[in-house]
Amino acid sequence: MEKTELRPWAGLADRVLAILRCLSCQGALLPVENGLTCAACRRHYPVVKGVVRFVDAEHYAGSFGFQWLTFRETQLDTERSRRSEADFCRRTGFTPEELAGKLVLDVGCGMGRFAEVATRWGAYVVGVDLSLAEEAASENLRDRDATFFQADVFHLPFKPESFDYIYSIGVLHHTPNCEQAFKVLPDLLKAGGGIAIWLYSGYHKWYRMSDLYRKVTRRMSPRTLYRLAHIAVPMYGLHQFLRSVPLVGKPISGVMKYLLPMSFNPDPRWRVLDTLDWYSPWYQSKHTYEEVFRWFEDCGLQDLRVILQPIAVQGRRRLLRSAQSENSEESEVNRCAV
Protein backbone atom coordinates (compact mmCIF):
# COMPACT_ATOMS: atom_id res chain seq x y z
CA MET A 1 0.00 0.00 0.00
CA GLU A 2 1.29 3.48 -0.83
CA LYS A 3 2.62 5.67 1.97
CA THR A 4 -0.03 8.34 1.34
CA GLU A 5 -2.72 5.76 2.03
CA LEU A 6 -1.19 4.87 5.40
CA ARG A 7 -0.65 8.40 6.70
CA PRO A 8 -4.07 9.28 8.18
CA TRP A 9 -4.03 6.45 10.75
CA ALA A 10 -0.48 5.03 10.84
CA GLY A 11 0.78 8.53 11.66
CA LEU A 12 -2.25 9.53 13.72
CA ALA A 13 -1.18 11.69 16.63
CA ASP A 14 -1.55 9.99 20.01
CA ARG A 15 -3.60 12.93 21.28
CA VAL A 16 -6.12 12.39 18.45
CA LEU A 17 -6.27 8.60 18.70
CA ALA A 18 -6.89 8.93 22.43
CA ILE A 19 -10.12 10.91 21.92
CA LEU A 20 -11.63 8.86 19.06
CA ARG A 21 -14.66 6.76 19.94
CA CYS A 22 -16.84 4.24 18.13
CA LEU A 23 -20.17 5.62 16.94
CA SER A 24 -21.97 2.42 17.97
CA CYS A 25 -20.66 1.69 21.47
CA GLN A 26 -18.27 4.52 22.38
CA GLY A 27 -15.41 2.06 22.53
CA ALA A 28 -11.82 3.12 21.86
CA LEU A 29 -10.62 2.88 18.25
CA LEU A 30 -7.48 1.08 17.20
CA PRO A 31 -5.45 1.68 14.02
CA VAL A 32 -5.35 -1.27 11.64
CA GLU A 33 -3.93 -1.63 8.15
CA ASN A 34 -6.99 -0.32 6.30
CA GLY A 35 -8.60 2.06 8.79
CA LEU A 36 -9.77 2.13 12.41
CA THR A 37 -11.53 -0.65 14.32
CA CYS A 38 -13.44 -0.50 17.60
CA ALA A 39 -11.69 -2.45 20.35
CA ALA A 40 -15.06 -3.36 21.90
CA CYS A 41 -17.64 -4.09 19.19
CA ARG A 42 -15.18 -4.48 16.27
CA ARG A 43 -17.01 -2.00 14.04
CA HIS A 44 -14.67 -0.91 11.27
CA TYR A 45 -14.16 2.57 9.85
CA PRO A 46 -12.35 2.39 6.51
CA VAL A 47 -9.88 4.77 4.96
CA VAL A 48 -10.75 5.92 1.44
CA LYS A 49 -8.44 8.19 -0.56
CA GLY A 50 -6.37 8.89 2.50
CA VAL A 51 -9.22 9.84 4.87
CA VAL A 52 -10.94 7.77 7.57
CA ARG A 53 -14.71 7.71 6.96
CA PHE A 54 -17.28 7.76 9.76
CA VAL A 55 -20.14 8.07 7.25
CA ASP A 56 -20.91 6.12 4.11
CA ALA A 57 -22.29 9.01 2.01
CA GLU A 58 -22.28 12.79 1.69
CA HIS A 59 -26.07 12.94 2.14
CA TYR A 60 -27.26 16.61 1.92
CA ALA A 61 -23.68 17.96 1.63
CA GLY A 62 -22.85 16.65 -1.83
CA SER A 63 -22.68 20.10 -3.42
CA PHE A 64 -19.93 21.06 -0.99
CA GLY A 65 -17.84 18.07 -1.98
CA PHE A 66 -17.94 19.23 -5.59
CA GLN A 67 -17.39 22.84 -4.58
CA TRP A 68 -14.28 22.33 -2.46
CA LEU A 69 -12.69 19.75 -4.72
CA THR A 70 -13.12 22.26 -7.57
CA PHE A 71 -11.88 25.24 -5.55
CA ARG A 72 -9.47 23.29 -3.38
CA GLU A 73 -6.87 26.08 -3.03
CA THR A 74 -8.78 29.25 -3.95
CA GLN A 75 -9.26 30.56 -0.41
CA LEU A 76 -5.93 29.52 1.11
CA ASP A 77 -3.83 32.42 2.38
CA THR A 78 -0.67 33.36 0.52
CA GLU A 79 2.21 35.75 1.11
CA ARG A 80 0.21 38.42 -0.72
CA SER A 81 -3.12 37.86 1.00
CA ARG A 82 -4.20 37.02 4.53
CA ARG A 83 -7.93 37.29 3.90
CA SER A 84 -8.78 33.94 5.47
CA GLU A 85 -6.84 34.84 8.60
CA ALA A 86 -8.71 38.16 8.79
CA ASP A 87 -12.05 36.36 8.37
CA PHE A 88 -11.07 33.83 11.02
CA CYS A 89 -10.38 36.62 13.51
CA ARG A 90 -13.59 38.49 12.69
CA ARG A 91 -15.75 35.39 12.97
CA THR A 92 -14.24 33.63 16.01
CA GLY A 93 -12.43 36.26 18.06
CA PHE A 94 -9.70 33.71 18.82
CA THR A 95 -6.06 34.83 18.91
CA PRO A 96 -2.78 33.06 18.05
CA GLU A 97 -1.84 33.13 21.73
CA GLU A 98 -5.02 31.27 22.69
CA LEU A 99 -4.73 28.53 20.08
CA ALA A 100 -0.98 27.86 20.18
CA GLY A 101 -0.34 24.30 21.36
CA LYS A 102 -4.06 23.56 21.78
CA LEU A 103 -6.23 20.77 20.37
CA VAL A 104 -8.86 22.43 18.18
CA LEU A 105 -11.95 21.03 16.42
CA ASP A 106 -12.91 22.54 13.05
CA VAL A 107 -16.55 21.61 12.36
CA GLY A 108 -17.21 21.73 8.62
CA CYS A 109 -13.58 22.17 7.63
CA GLY A 110 -14.19 22.31 3.87
CA MET A 111 -10.89 22.41 2.01
CA GLY A 112 -9.03 23.53 5.13
CA ARG A 113 -9.19 27.30 4.73
CA PHE A 114 -9.47 28.08 8.44
CA ALA A 115 -7.61 24.99 9.62
CA GLU A 116 -4.63 26.37 7.72
CA VAL A 117 -4.83 29.54 9.79
CA ALA A 118 -5.19 27.70 13.11
CA THR A 119 -2.27 25.36 12.39
CA ARG A 120 -0.17 28.33 11.31
CA TRP A 121 -0.91 29.78 14.75
CA GLY A 122 0.42 26.61 16.37
CA ALA A 123 -2.77 24.62 17.04
CA TYR A 124 -3.29 20.93 16.32
CA VAL A 125 -6.51 20.86 14.28
CA VAL A 126 -8.95 17.99 13.94
CA GLY A 127 -11.23 18.76 11.01
CA VAL A 128 -14.53 17.06 10.18
CA ASP A 129 -16.77 17.47 7.17
CA LEU A 130 -19.76 15.52 5.90
CA SER A 131 -18.77 16.07 2.27
CA LEU A 132 -15.72 14.88 0.35
CA ALA A 133 -14.09 18.26 0.97
CA GLU A 134 -11.87 16.77 3.68
CA GLU A 135 -9.93 15.04 0.88
CA ALA A 136 -8.81 18.48 -0.30
CA ALA A 137 -8.13 19.59 3.27
CA SER A 138 -6.00 16.54 3.95
CA GLU A 139 -3.95 17.24 0.84
CA ASN A 140 -3.67 20.99 1.41
CA LEU A 141 -2.46 20.56 5.00
CA ARG A 142 -0.55 17.30 4.63
CA ASP A 143 2.56 18.81 6.24
CA ARG A 144 0.72 20.52 9.12
CA ASP A 145 -0.40 19.39 12.56
CA ALA A 146 -3.86 18.42 11.40
CA THR A 147 -6.04 15.35 10.93
CA PHE A 148 -9.25 15.23 8.91
CA PHE A 149 -12.22 12.86 9.03
CA GLN A 150 -15.40 12.52 7.02
CA ALA A 151 -18.07 12.63 9.71
CA ASP A 152 -21.57 13.90 10.52
CA VAL A 153 -21.85 16.77 13.01
CA PHE A 154 -24.85 15.01 14.61
CA HIS A 155 -22.74 11.87 15.24
CA LEU A 156 -19.15 12.87 15.96
CA PRO A 157 -16.59 10.18 16.89
CA PHE A 158 -15.04 11.90 19.91
CA LYS A 159 -15.26 11.38 23.64
CA PRO A 160 -16.65 14.24 25.76
CA GLU A 161 -14.37 17.03 26.97
CA SER A 162 -11.74 16.42 24.32
CA PHE A 163 -11.00 19.82 22.80
CA ASP A 164 -9.53 23.07 24.07
CA TYR A 165 -11.31 25.09 21.37
CA ILE A 166 -14.04 24.48 18.81
CA TYR A 167 -15.10 26.65 15.89
CA SER A 168 -17.58 26.32 13.06
CA ILE A 169 -17.59 29.05 10.44
CA GLY A 170 -20.43 29.24 7.91
CA VAL A 171 -21.41 25.59 8.26
CA LEU A 172 -24.08 24.81 10.86
CA HIS A 173 -26.75 26.77 8.99
CA HIS A 174 -26.37 24.24 6.17
CA THR A 175 -27.56 21.35 8.36
CA PRO A 176 -31.19 20.18 8.73
CA ASN A 177 -31.34 21.72 12.23
CA CYS A 178 -28.79 24.40 13.07
CA GLU A 179 -29.68 24.57 16.77
CA GLN A 180 -29.40 20.81 17.30
CA ALA A 181 -26.11 20.72 15.37
CA PHE A 182 -24.65 23.42 17.62
CA LYS A 183 -25.82 21.76 20.82
CA VAL A 184 -23.77 18.65 20.02
CA LEU A 185 -20.54 20.64 20.33
CA PRO A 186 -20.24 22.09 23.88
CA ASP A 187 -20.00 18.62 25.47
CA LEU A 188 -16.82 18.09 23.46
CA LEU A 189 -15.13 21.07 25.14
CA LYS A 190 -12.79 20.75 28.08
CA ALA A 191 -13.71 22.77 31.17
CA GLY A 192 -12.85 26.38 30.43
CA GLY A 193 -12.59 25.67 26.70
CA GLY A 194 -13.80 28.16 24.10
CA ILE A 195 -16.29 27.79 21.25
CA ALA A 196 -17.16 30.19 18.44
CA ILE A 197 -19.62 29.95 15.55
CA TRP A 198 -20.48 32.18 12.62
CA LEU A 199 -23.88 31.90 10.92
CA TYR A 200 -25.83 33.73 8.22
CA SER A 201 -27.66 36.75 9.56
CA GLY A 202 -31.45 36.84 9.69
CA TYR A 203 -31.63 40.60 10.22
CA HIS A 204 -31.38 41.68 6.60
CA LYS A 205 -33.86 40.49 3.98
CA TRP A 206 -31.72 40.98 0.88
CA TYR A 207 -31.66 37.20 0.41
CA ARG A 208 -35.41 36.89 -0.27
CA MET A 209 -34.96 36.59 -4.02
CA SER A 210 -32.06 34.16 -3.75
CA ASP A 211 -34.14 31.96 -1.44
CA LEU A 212 -36.80 31.90 -4.15
CA TYR A 213 -34.24 30.90 -6.78
CA ARG A 214 -32.74 28.29 -4.44
CA LYS A 215 -35.94 26.26 -4.66
CA VAL A 216 -34.68 25.46 -8.17
CA THR A 217 -30.89 25.88 -7.99
CA ARG A 218 -30.38 23.48 -5.08
CA ARG A 219 -31.93 20.73 -7.22
CA MET A 220 -29.49 21.31 -10.07
CA SER A 221 -26.39 19.22 -10.49
CA PRO A 222 -23.34 20.98 -8.98
CA ARG A 223 -21.66 21.08 -12.39
CA THR A 224 -24.63 22.79 -14.03
CA LEU A 225 -24.89 25.35 -11.25
CA TYR A 226 -21.13 25.90 -11.39
CA ARG A 227 -21.44 26.89 -15.03
CA LEU A 228 -24.37 29.21 -14.27
CA ALA A 229 -22.44 30.84 -11.42
CA HIS A 230 -19.97 32.19 -13.98
CA ILE A 231 -22.56 34.83 -14.88
CA ALA A 232 -21.22 36.65 -11.80
CA VAL A 233 -18.04 37.45 -13.76
CA PRO A 234 -19.57 39.72 -16.46
CA MET A 235 -22.35 40.94 -14.16
CA TYR A 236 -19.75 42.45 -11.86
CA GLY A 237 -18.43 44.54 -14.75
CA LEU A 238 -21.97 45.62 -15.65
CA HIS A 239 -22.63 46.79 -12.09
CA GLN A 240 -19.36 48.71 -12.05
CA PHE A 241 -20.37 50.46 -15.27
CA LEU A 242 -23.89 51.28 -14.06
CA ARG A 243 -22.59 52.82 -10.85
CA SER A 244 -20.58 55.26 -12.93
CA VAL A 245 -23.67 56.48 -14.81
CA PRO A 246 -25.01 59.73 -13.25
CA LEU A 247 -28.44 59.81 -11.58
CA VAL A 248 -29.98 56.54 -12.77
CA GLY A 249 -27.00 54.17 -12.71
CA LYS A 250 -26.80 53.43 -8.97
CA PRO A 251 -30.59 52.90 -8.52
CA ILE A 252 -30.64 50.50 -11.49
CA SER A 253 -27.65 48.62 -10.07
CA GLY A 254 -29.39 48.43 -6.68
CA VAL A 255 -32.54 46.93 -8.20
CA MET A 256 -30.46 44.40 -10.12
CA LYS A 257 -28.62 43.41 -6.92
CA TYR A 258 -31.93 42.71 -5.24
CA LEU A 259 -33.41 40.81 -8.18
CA LEU A 260 -30.27 38.75 -8.84
CA PRO A 261 -28.12 38.43 -5.69
CA MET A 262 -24.52 37.43 -6.37
CA SER A 263 -21.04 37.83 -4.96
CA PHE A 264 -19.24 41.10 -5.60
CA ASN A 265 -15.79 39.88 -4.67
CA PRO A 266 -13.21 41.68 -6.85
CA ASP A 267 -11.47 38.37 -7.57
CA PRO A 268 -13.38 36.58 -10.39
CA ARG A 269 -12.64 33.07 -9.09
CA TRP A 270 -13.74 33.96 -5.55
CA ARG A 271 -16.82 35.59 -7.08
CA VAL A 272 -17.86 32.38 -8.85
CA LEU A 273 -17.10 30.33 -5.72
CA ASP A 274 -19.11 32.58 -3.41
CA THR A 275 -22.08 32.66 -5.80
CA LEU A 276 -22.03 28.87 -6.15
CA ASP A 277 -21.74 28.56 -2.36
CA TRP A 278 -24.87 30.66 -1.90
CA TYR A 279 -27.16 28.92 -4.38
CA SER A 280 -26.11 25.26 -4.09
CA PRO A 281 -26.73 24.11 -0.46
CA TRP A 282 -29.83 22.06 0.25
CA TYR A 283 -30.26 23.72 3.66
CA GLN A 284 -29.55 27.38 4.39
CA SER A 285 -31.02 28.90 7.55
CA LYS A 286 -30.55 32.45 8.86
CA HIS A 287 -30.32 33.46 12.51
CA THR A 288 -30.36 36.29 15.04
CA TYR A 289 -28.20 37.02 18.06
CA GLU A 290 -31.19 36.54 20.33
CA GLU A 291 -31.70 32.91 19.34
CA VAL A 292 -27.98 32.06 19.15
CA PHE A 293 -27.35 33.49 22.62
CA ARG A 294 -30.21 31.33 23.87
CA TRP A 295 -28.50 28.23 22.43
CA PHE A 296 -25.27 29.09 24.24
CA GLU A 297 -27.13 29.70 27.50
CA ASP A 298 -29.10 26.44 27.15
CA CYS A 299 -25.76 24.62 27.01
CA GLY A 300 -24.48 26.35 30.14
CA LEU A 301 -21.84 28.33 28.29
CA GLN A 302 -20.62 31.56 29.84
CA ASP A 303 -18.62 34.70 28.99
CA LEU A 304 -20.73 35.10 25.85
CA ARG A 305 -19.72 37.85 23.48
CA VAL A 306 -20.50 39.11 20.03
CA ILE A 307 -17.62 39.02 17.54
CA LEU A 308 -17.07 41.48 14.70
CA GLN A 309 -19.03 39.96 11.81
CA PRO A 310 -22.73 39.05 12.30
CA ILE A 311 -23.81 36.49 13.28
CA ALA A 312 -20.69 35.55 15.28
CA VAL A 313 -20.81 34.47 18.93
CA GLN A 314 -18.13 33.14 21.25
CA GLY A 315 -18.50 31.48 24.65
CA ARG A 316 -16.72 29.27 27.14
CA ARG A 317 -17.55 26.09 28.99
CA ARG A 318 -17.71 26.57 32.73
CA LEU A 319 -14.72 25.56 34.79
CA LEU A 320 -15.16 22.65 37.17
CA ARG A 321 -16.15 23.75 40.64
CA SER A 322 -12.80 22.71 42.12
CA ALA A 323 -10.96 24.60 39.40
CA GLN A 324 -13.11 27.66 39.97
CA SER A 325 -12.36 27.51 43.71
CA GLU A 326 -8.64 27.15 43.12
CA ASN A 327 -8.63 30.08 40.72
CA SER A 328 -10.66 32.15 43.17
CA GLU A 329 -8.30 31.32 46.02
CA GLU A 330 -5.28 32.07 43.86
CA SER A 331 -6.77 35.41 42.82
CA GLU A 332 -7.47 36.25 46.47
CA VAL A 333 -3.88 35.40 47.47
CA ASN A 334 -2.52 37.51 44.62
CA ARG A 335 -4.82 40.38 45.52
CA CYS A 336 -3.79 40.28 49.17
CA ALA A 337 -0.09 40.06 48.21
CA VAL A 338 -0.47 43.26 46.22
Side-chain angles (χ1 to χ4, degrees):
M1 184 175 292
E2 296 180 4
K3 183 178 180 180
T4 55
E5 280 292 297
L6 283 170
R7 181 182 179 278
W9 66 97
L12 199 63
D14 290 341
R15 64 195 304 191
V16 177
L17 187 59
I19 64 173
L20 288 174
R21 291 294 180 268
C22 175
L23 297 178
S24 297
C25 72
Q26 292 299 298
L29 298 183
L30 304 175
V32 294
E33 184 179 4
N34 59 346
L36 298 171
T37 295
C38 177
C41 72
R42 311 309 297 173
R43 179 173 175 179
H44 181 70
Y45 301 93
V47 64
V48 179
K49 294 186 178 180
V51 175
V52 177
R53 316 287 176 159
F54 289 94
V55 294
D56 56 10
E58 295 182 279
H59 301 290
Y60 56 85
S63 65
F64 290 109
F66 172 85
Q67 174 178 308
W68 295 123
L69 292 175
T70 301
F71 296 93
R72 64 175 59 230
E73 296 182 355
T74 300
Q75 294 183 325
L76 291 177
D77 279 348
T78 65
E79 292 299 322
R80 294 181 298 174
S81 171
R82 286 289 187 265
R83 176 171 175 178
S84 288
E85 183 174 65
D87 286 346
F88 186 80
C89 294
R90 292 187 302 125
R91 296 173 182 177
T92 69
F94 295 148
T95 66
E97 293 74 22
E98 287 180 297
L99 298 193
K102 298 298 192 295
L103 187 61
V104 179
L105 177 62
D106 181 337
V107 180
C109 62
M111 38 62 77
R113 174 189 183 188
F114 297 114
E116 190 279 327
V117 175
T119 56
R120 188 169 5 113
W121 286 1
Y124 192 108
V125 175
V126 176
V128 295
D129 204 289
L130 180 59
S131 77
L132 298 178
E134 82 291 326
E135 294 177 12
S138 183
E139 177 63 24
N140 286 336
L141 278 70
R142 60 187 179 278
D143 297 322
R144 299 289 186 90
D145 287 334
T147 302
F148 299 95
F149 301 108
Q150 187 180 11
D152 183 350
V153 66
F154 295 102
H155 305 283
L156 291 174
F158 309 113
K159 74 174 185 178
E161 301 183 24
S162 291
F163 297 95
D164 299 294
Y165 289 89
I166 297 174
Y167 64 83
S168 183
I169 304 175
V171 174
L172 300 181
H173 49 233
H174 292 311
T175 66
N177 189 312
C178 187
E179 178 180 357
Q180 289 182 11
F182 168 76
K183 288 183 175 180
V184 170
L185 305 179
D187 284 345
L188 299 178
L189 276 177
K190 297 176 182 177
I195 182 170
I197 63 172
W198 176 74
L199 305 172
Y200 287 156
S201 171
Y203 290 111
H204 307 294
K205 304 303 181 183
W206 62 269
Y207 52 77
R208 286 175 175 170
M209 292 303 296
S210 63
D211 276 358
L212 180 63
Y213 300 146
R214 287 188 62 258
K215 295 180 183 296
V216 176
T217 59
R218 68 177 185 169
R219 299 178 184 277
M220 292 181 176
S221 72
R223 291 185 181 278
T224 298
L225 189 55
Y226 168 65
R227 289 192 290 269
L228 288 176
H230 279 79
I231 194 174
V233 176
M235 287 295 291
Y236 179 82
L238 177 59
H239 279 283
Q240 294 295 95
F241 169 75
L242 286 173
R243 293 181 64 81
S244 68
V245 176
L247 299 179
V248 299
K250 288 184 178 180
I252 293 175
S253 175
V255 171
M256 290 176 59
K257 284 182 178 180
Y258 178 77
L259 293 177
L260 186 60
M262 54 168 266
S263 169
F264 284 85
N265 193 300
D267 185 311
R269 189 160 176 81
W270 277 63
R271 194 152 67 244
V272 173
L273 167 57
D274 289 345
T275 301
L276 175 65
D277 183 78
W278 185 258
Y279 285 101
S280 62
W282 191 260
Y283 297 104
Q284 189 182 95
S285 56
K286 290 84 176 175
H287 303 276
T288 65
Y289 280 116
E290 291 83 355
E291 64 179 319
V292 175
F293 264 69
R294 176 175 54 78
W295 302 349
F296 275 67
E297 291 167 349
D298 287 347
C299 294
L301 296 168
Q302 60 184 12
D303 299 333
L304 308 188
R305 68 187 185 100
V306 169
I307 315 302
L308 293 177
Q309 184 176 0
I311 298 292
V313 178
Q314 184 195 111
R316 288 190 175 274
R317 185 168 186 177
R318 296 180 186 276
L319 289 169
L320 298 176
R321 186 177 300 276
S322 59
Q324 287 178 322
S325 300
E326 290 173 3
N327 288 341
S328 177
E329 292 173 3
E330 183 179 351
S331 298
E332 182 65 19
V333 169
N334 293 337
R335 186 185 67 79
C336 293
V338 173

